[in-house]
Each structure stands twice: as structure tokens, then as C-alpha cells.
Amino acid sequence: MSVTEKEQVRTRFSDLDTQRHTTSRTYEDSCLGDRYRILEEAGYSWKRMIEESVRLQTVGGDIRFLAQQMENTELSIRTSYRSGQDGLLTFSQEVLDPNGKVAAEIKTLARTEKDGKPFQLIAAEATSEELISSFESIPSFSGSCERTLAERDLFYCERNPFGDYNPSHYWRLLEEGRWNFTAECGLSLEDLVAMDTTLFYMGGKIRYRKPLAAGRRAKIQTWIHSFDKIWSRMRQEVSDSETGEILAESMDDLLVVSVSKSRPKKPGEDLLKVFARVTEFPEGGSK
């Protein structure tokens, strides 16, 4: 069965980031709440899930950001879902502005589990393969370029009621990696202005492999996969700094924009030169 509902969310001043608009994490956290609402309507509140050792494990996410939002804005979350075998669920969610226009789209692949094993919380209407195939895989790193590195602590106090980290925490780590990437490449705001260039994060694909471990450090490696006309395809991996295991990976879409004209443009030679050592496929595409 598939259901579409609307949930209301009001943004706050504390949701604003350094770019002076609502963070992507605000959207994801709001959508996560609506995903749990659907499970509750199926008979499993988050409290019952904890009591019976049932979990909603996020497997993948595809994200697109279409319009920036500010504080004190009434947003609507529109959610539809599809259930599959082995406890798999896909959630298609839209964040709508007060005029009903789509500000963001978040598509999530998740699995309900009990004691670590697949648990069919909602009756299946599709095969596992149908749901999984709608989420593209992310290519493995070829090893042909350098990567920037950031390490961040995983704080106990930022876990959810299940003792886990919400997907938005992975988003936070990936954003940290992107900020660190710019810094390690030696690009200041003044440098970008001189190049008449800025990069806008427009979305991407995240694949979640293993849970983050509280009290440990996460390692975030970032590099450019390739350039495609007006787009920069950025790759990232989040791994455990002790074991080296990859915990999540992403392929991000960054739009190259002219600062003076406020319009997309192809990256200039000056930008390509700065990113040369951290670009996997300088000629575009993959091998």
C-alpha cells in the first residue's frame, strides 16, 4: 500500500547556516519524523520499536535542493512510500514552501529490522530488487588522484533515542568534508571572487553502509570525481578512523556559478588547475 500525507514544519533562526538559509539537515530531520509517523500508523511507534528491538535502518538517499528557505517559514512535508520484501521501504518526500513549490526532494531507501535481521513491518507490495534497483550504485574510487582528509569526533550526546545517529548526522560529516576540501585546496572567499566563481551544493546520492560508532572519530575523504559542463561531481567517503571501514559514501552535484552574473557557467582553467591534484577523471566520465 502507498500513502501520501502532509506534515507541517516551521523553520527557526537556529536552522540557518553560514549561507543565511535553512540547512539541508533541517529538511532531512523533518522528513525523518514523517517516516517514523508512517511506521507508527502501521502499528509501531518509536517507543514500541525500542521495546521490541525493531529499527529503521537507512540504506540510501537521493537528494535534490531546488529553493533556499529562511527562518520562520511554514514548510509542508509530503510523503509517499512503497513497501518491499525483506523489510525494505522507499520513501519519496517533498519539502514544500508556503506557496506549494518544491524546495527539496528526498528519496530514501530503508529497511526495518528486528534484532539485526530483516523484519516485515509493513506487508510487501514489491520485490526487494524493484526497490533497490531504483537507487544507483556509487562508483568505487580508482586511486588515480589525491583526496583531502578531515577527522571529526562522534559525540555520544548527538545520538537519537535508539542510541544511533540519524541520517542527518552523516550529512553533517559530509558537509564538514566539503568545507575542509575547499580549505585544503587553498581556496579563500577572495580567491573564488577573483575567479568569478562559486560552487552551489544542489544535492546528490548517499549510500549508508555501517553505523557510526559513538566515542570514535570519523574520517572524511573528499575529491572531485569529474567535471560535466556546468557541474562538478564530488565524491566523498566516511570511514572509521580506527578500523578504516567505509561507513557511508556519496556522489554530490555541485553547480558552478558565475558570481557577477549569478548564472551557471563552465569551470575556468584557473579553477581546474586548483583542483587538478584532487580530480579523479580530469577528462570527465569514469573508467
Side-chain angles (χ1 to χ4, degrees):
M1 181 173 96
S2 131
V3 175
T4 300
E5 299 283 352
K6 277 190 178 182
E7 190 76 9
Q8 297 293 321
V9 175
R10 185 177 180 83
T11 63
R12 306 162 299 174
F13 174 79
S14 58
D15 294 320
L16 302 183
D17 61 13
T18 58
Q19 310 305 302
R20 304 177 186 178
H21 56 75
T22 299
T23 72
S24 58
R25 298 185 300 278
T26 300
Y27 299 149
E28 165 56 24
D29 284 336
S30 300
C31 288
L32 178 66
D34 213 36
R35 299 199 285 270
Y36 274 97
R37 177 188 59 79
I38 287 173
L39 299 186
E40 182 171 7
E41 290 180 353
Y44 275 82
S45 67
W46 64 267
K47 293 180 180 179
R48 180 183 177 185
M49 291 173 68
I50 290 175
E51 291 172 356
E52 300 184 14
S53 298
V54 175
R55 297 288 187 270
L56 179 67
Q57 299 291 353
T58 306
V59 179
D62 292 351
I63 311 105
R64 282 206 315 155
F65 301 110
L66 305 172
Q68 298 175 353
Q69 300 300 310
M70 301 300 292
E71 81 278 22
N72 301 321
T73 302
E74 293 287 349
L75 301 177
S76 299
I77 309 299
R78 184 161 62 198
T79 302
S80 61
Y81 73 90
R82 195 175 184 207
S83 57
Q85 299 168 332
D86 302 318
L88 285 172
L89 292 160
T90 55
F91 298 90
S92 296
Q93 298 179 281
E94 294 178 327
V95 180
L96 309 176
D97 71 13
N99 297 316
K101 293 183 179 180
V102 180
E105 296 175 345
I106 299 176
K107 183 181 176 184
T108 304
L109 175 66
R111 176 185 287 110
T112 46
E113 299 178 352
K114 183 178 176 65
D115 295 320
K117 298 179 180 179
F119 176 65
Q120 201 68 45
L121 192 152
I122 299 176
E125 59 180 283
T127 64
S128 302
E129 290 74 18
E130 282 182 82
L131 301 193
I132 293 172
S133 64
S134 63
F135 288 77
E136 296 178 358
S137 60
I138 293 176
S140 300
F141 177 52
S142 67
S144 63
C145 71
E146 296 179 32
R147 301 189 285 182
T148 63
L149 172 64
E151 289 195 59
R152 296 295 183 268
D153 292 319
L154 298 173
F155 297 109
Y156 288 98
C157 62
E158 294 184 331
R159 294 172 298 168
N160 63 24
F162 295 90
D164 302 322
Y165 291 95
N166 292 328
S168 62
H169 203 82
Y170 291 82
W171 292 30
R172 181 192 301 277
L173 293 171
L174 292 170
E175 185 172 349
E176 279 289 295
R178 292 193 295 273
W179 279 106
N180 181 74
F181 175 83
T182 304
E184 282 203 27
C185 287
L187 280 179
S188 66
L189 178 59
E190 290 74 22
D191 293 328
L192 290 170
V193 170
M195 295 178 186
D196 189 30
T197 301
T198 189
L199 299 171
F200 285 148
Y201 175 64
M202 302 297 291
K205 306 176 187 300
I206 303 174
R207 302 295 176 257
Y208 306 86
R209 290 194 182 185
K210 291 190 174 183
L212 300 169
R216 302 268 274 272
R217 287 175 67 81
K219 183 169 68 174
I220 310 108
Q221 292 178 290
T222 306
W223 69 101
I224 299 291
H225 176 269
S226 58
F227 286 95
D228 180 13
K229 297 179 181 178
I230 59 175
W231 292 98
S232 168
R233 310 295 183 188
M234 178 176 279
R235 279 280 283 111
Q236 295 186 273
E237 288 180 353
V238 178
S239 58
D240 187 296
S241 62
E242 293 184 22
T243 66
E245 290 182 291
I246 297 176
L247 308 178
E249 56 188 345
S250 71
M251 174 80 87
D252 305 323
D253 297 327
L254 278 70
L255 184 65
V256 184
V257 175
S258 165
V259 176
S260 62
K261 298 179 180 178
S262 298
R263 293 175 56 184
K265 71 168 190 175
K266 290 185 178 180
E269 289 300 322
D270 47 1
L271 186 70
L272 294 176
K273 184 177 180 180
V274 171
F275 287 152
R277 70 178 178 86
V278 288
T279 300
E280 190 172 4
F281 299 108
E283 304 302 321
S286 60
K287 299 176 182 178

